[in-house]
Amino acid sequence: ARAPREKPKAEVAPKPRQAPTSEAQMAAAAALARLELKPKGKTPVCSQESIKNQVRKELMAEAAASEKGLPEEEKEEGAAAPSVSGVYFICPLTGDVVRKDKKEKHLREAIQAYFSVDPVAASIMEIHTFNKDRDKVRVGVETMAKYLDNIYLHPEEEKYRKIKLQNKVFQERISCLEGTHRFFQAVGFETKTLPVPGQGKEAQASSEEQEEQYYVLREDMLARLEELRDAKEQLLSSEPLRARLDRQLRLFQPSAQAAHFELPDDFYKLSADEIKREQRLRTEAVEKASMLRTRAMREKEEQREMRKYNYTLLRVRFPDGYILQGTFYARESVSVLYSFVREALRDDWLPFELLGPGGLKLTDENLAFNECGLVPSALLSLSWDAAVMADIEAAAEEQPQSPLRPELLARVQTL
């Protein structure tokens, strides 16, 4: 989306300045992700931070102009949303907010677009992000790093600059991983068909000489071995690119409907990966059943039914009736909810307690929401420290302000 054109001035109308295109925005966001991928210590902190700030500034300007990626109900000013329309994620490369079922496709498209910016980093993202077996990724990455190490340490040895694609180790550890072939191309390897070395006289005399495919390092890369070493370090130090769960923070006016939830299918349906995880959890439960069952173990097994939910929609009701709402992973800890509430406060130092359904205090912040029975939705209450609030009210010369941040109060909705 393009920013709206500015009105021309009185006489000479300057050429209107266009906002960054979607491609430029994606490239800028990808540059920020590249900074995160590179090993620490390569770039001075001040320089890195200034680049990050500039990229964020451009992204925010473009997002403000187009409102792209926001759920439809948020684009309609004043639209009331009793719950949520689905589960949404924030793409780490573009900053777009996308539905759960569009997350994988969007991430692939974003990484694909990043190849025009930095093909090495983009191929590394593919390797770490789209290959789910972490053990296979670790073995494959370590083997690839060994290939590059041999070249860097022994550049005069021609044998290290050639990798036979039909080699058993290469096939079993590397070729089976998504993104590895694009990585080798990005760091300077070319695919060539070469005669098989060490053939006997009979094979050499035959009309058809045996040939196999190899990756061969380009000659110009011998003068750029530092780049090869940097690519190896980046390959080893990178992590999977993960979309961040969008909390979909909302503030509602006091309402008798606070305990009424209508959840979309996203909160119940499990993906193939999630089903595999549930199967693993059930297997562990069977193994535990064969052991001496303590009371704590029985209680945990009773909560297993709650684990079929991956997400939970939580509301926190303040003493003045305002309701703060957010989306969370069912297995996140209670401490995350405390942080979520603090970020919504005008003064985050104010002490408070959260009370679950039935008035039970959530004192153990290390417990997960599904362990506390707070899935797939729950209404909690916030309780201030009475002594602190009394001191604040006594010291206030005017009517005490709401403890919530003004920007949240400015967009309060009706439940």
Side-chain angles (χ1 to χ4, degrees):
R2 297 179 181 274
R5 294 176 177 270
E6 296 179 356
K7 292 183 179 180
K9 294 184 179 179
E11 296 184 2
V12 180
K15 186 177 180 180
R17 181 180 177 182
Q18 294 180 335
T21 63
S22 58
E23 292 81 4
Q25 183 204 7
M26 183 172 286
L32 176 58
R34 181 184 176 189
L35 291 174
E36 300 291 348
L37 278 171
K38 291 200 172 184
K40 294 181 179 180
K42 292 286 179 186
T43 308
V45 174
C46 58
S47 174
Q48 191 178 75
E49 285 303 314
S50 63
I51 294 173
K52 285 184 180 181
N53 291 336
Q54 180 61 31
V55 172
R56 288 194 183 101
K57 183 178 179 181
E58 293 180 9
L59 287 175
M60 290 174 66
E62 180 74 8
S66 64
E67 292 185 341
K68 70 171 187 169
L70 289 176
E72 289 300 321
E73 73 271 14
E74 288 194 5
K75 292 181 182 179
E76 299 176 10
E77 186 175 353
S83 299
V84 285
S85 63
V87 176
Y88 291 84
F89 289 83
I90 302 172
C91 175
L93 282 178
T94 65
D96 286 352
V97 180
V98 294
R99 280 193 67 112
K100 176 188 173 185
D101 56 349
K102 305 292 185 183
K103 177 182 64 172
E104 183 88 0
K105 180 176 181 290
H106 182 89
L107 198 55
R108 284 186 176 276
E109 291 175 349
I111 291 178
Q112 178 61 39
Y114 194 23
F115 271 92
S116 63
V117 178
D118 188 337
V120 173
S123 61
I124 290 174
M125 289 179 196
E126 280 192 328
I127 293 169
H128 283 279
T129 303
F130 299 128
N131 296 291
K132 304 304 181 183
D133 190 324
R134 300 308 303 160
D135 287 334
K136 283 187 177 180
V137 171
R138 177 183 55 80
V139 172
V141 162
E142 289 175 353
T143 305
M144 294 164 69
K146 185 63 177 176
Y147 282 133
L148 301 185
D149 250 349
N150 286 337
I151 297 172
Y152 181 77
L153 297 174
H154 310 284
E156 71 285 351
E157 294 282 351
E158 183 181 355
K159 64 178 181 180
Y160 290 131
R161 303 200 296 271
K162 294 190 297 184
I163 304 172
K164 186 165 71 171
L165 299 190
Q166 295 305 312
N167 178 278
K168 184 178 179 182
V169 171
F170 188 89
Q171 286 292 315
E172 293 180 351
R173 298 184 182 181
I174 298 174
S175 188
C176 60
L177 297 177
E178 182 176 351
T180 53
H181 292 285
R182 297 224 271 185
F183 173 80
F184 279 107
Q185 294 167 3
V187 297
F189 283 87
E190 296 176 319
T191 304
K192 291 188 176 182
T193 302
L194 301 175
V196 177
Q199 296 184 71
K201 292 182 179 179
E202 294 182 2
Q204 293 178 6
S206 65
S207 58
E208 292 186 4
E209 189 179 54
Q210 290 185 345
E211 295 180 330
E212 289 184 328
Q213 283 195 319
Y214 287 80
Y215 274 144
V216 180
L217 189 69
R218 298 197 313 265
E219 289 292 329
D220 63 290
M221 291 304 300
L222 292 177
R224 299 155 57 188
L225 291 176
E226 293 300 323
E227 293 181 21
L228 214 58
R229 187 192 64 175
D230 290 346
K232 181 209 73 171
E233 292 179 357
Q234 191 174 345
L235 177 67
L236 289 172
S237 63
S238 293
E239 296 289 336
L241 210 59
R242 300 297 186 210
R244 178 164 51 89
L245 179 65
D246 181 22
R247 299 294 185 201
Q248 299 185 75
L249 184 152
R250 287 183 175 85
L251 182 67
F252 296 113
Q253 293 177 347
S255 171
Q257 297 296 313
H260 177 68
F261 292 87
E262 291 183 3
L263 299 178
D265 290 342
D266 287 353
F267 278 73
Y268 301 96
K269 292 180 180 178
L270 300 180
S271 67
D273 288 339
E274 292 163 355
I275 291 173
K276 288 179 182 178
R277 187 179 190 282
E278 292 305 312
Q279 291 173 340
R280 179 173 60 79
L281 289 172
R282 291 192 184 97
T283 301
E284 292 174 358
V286 172
E287 292 173 354
K288 286 183 179 180
S290 63
M291 303 164 55
L292 180 63
R293 287 156 53 97
T294 65
R295 179 180 177 182
M297 289 173 63
R298 287 197 302 272
E299 289 176 350
K300 278 204 168 185
E301 289 176 10
E302 288 170 2
Q303 295 163 358
R304 189 166 299 279
E305 179 65 18
M306 306 300 286
R307 297 195 176 189
K308 67 182 180 182
Y309 303 109
N310 258 17
Y311 310 95
T312 183
L313 186 66
L314 299 179
R315 290 174 180 160
V316 177
R317 181 159 50 194
F318 285 72
D320 58 6
Y322 280 110
I323 303 159
L324 187 68
Q325 176 178 289
T327 303
F328 301 84
Y329 286 110
R331 296 173 183 85
E332 285 188 280
S333 65
V334 172
S335 63
V336 173
L337 180 59
Y338 272 88
S339 298
F340 176 74
V341 173
R342 287 191 188 97
E343 290 172 1
L345 300 179
R346 184 192 299 268
D347 299 310
D348 59 7
W349 57 267
L350 286 174
F352 63 87
E353 289 181 325
L354 293 178
L355 310 178
L360 181 65
K361 292 183 180 179
L362 300 179
T363 54
D364 188 350
E365 296 189 25
N366 293 318
L367 286 176
F369 295 129
N370 58 1
E371 293 176 322
C372 302
L374 301 179
V375 294
S377 60
L379 173 64
L380 303 96
S381 299
L382 181 143
S383 174
W384 299 114
D385 184 296
V388 173
M389 296 307 290
D391 290 342
I392 292 176
E393 291 176 4
E397 297 180 358
E398 304 175 345
Q399 182 73 17
Q401 294 179 319
S402 169
L404 290 162
R405 285 168 27 207
E407 55 268 34
L408 285 180
L409 292 169
R411 53 189 180 97
V412 66
Q413 297 178 349
T414 302
L415 188 58

